[in-house]
Amino acid sequence: MAEILEVFMIVSFGASWPMNVIKSYKARTTKGKSLAFLCLIFIGYIAGISSKLLNQSYMASISSKWYVLFFYVLNLIMVGTDLCLYARNYRLDKENNQ
């Protein structure tokens, strides 16, 4: 039951990332974005994934609880994509200001 609630939390939190990535892609600017926030979230997901991988009882039952780790990785990929778009948009902002 705890894993189901954890997945619900991760899915609820991560539901906004696809929309955020699309918005970043279309906006082509870093205005309104926080690099520090994105980095903290990215590091948080790495910590969550590491926690799962270092938890012996979780790893012993990974075949039946793989979905929890899957959602952590999915969210990490989405935040990573947004970080890449931030870098692109930062470059575009610099080009537009010259």
Side-chain angles (χ1 to χ4, degrees):
M1 181 63 168
E3 289 84 12
I4 299 296
L5 292 172
E6 185 176 13
V7 167
F8 183 74
M9 182 272 305
I10 295 168
V11 169
S12 297
F13 188 74
S16 64
W17 287 116
M19 292 178 285
N20 201 23
V21 166
I22 291 168
K23 182 178 176 185
S24 292
Y25 180 75
K26 289 180 178 179
R28 301 177 65 87
T29 183
T30 58
K31 292 181 177 113
K33 299 289 274 188
S34 169
L35 181 59
F37 175 77
L38 289 173
C39 289
L40 283 172
I41 297 297
F42 192 79
I43 291 167
Y45 279 123
I46 290 172
I49 291 167
S50 299
S51 168
K52 291 296 180 192
L53 295 176
L54 295 172
N55 184 326
Q56 291 179 355
S57 64
Y58 176 80
M59 291 306 290
S61 61
I62 189 91
S63 63
S64 64
K65 297 179 182 178
W66 60 268
Y67 54 89
V68 177
L69 190 58
F70 170 80
F71 285 107
Y72 273 103
V73 172
L74 182 62
N75 285 349
L76 179 71
I77 291 168
M78 297 302 287
V79 176
T81 301
D82 207 21
L83 277 167
C84 290
L85 288 170
Y86 185 95
R88 179 202 73 164
N89 291 345
Y90 182 81
R91 182 181 47 81
L92 291 173
D93 284 344
K94 286 190 110 175
E95 289 174 4
N96 290 335
N97 288 334
Q98 289 182 358

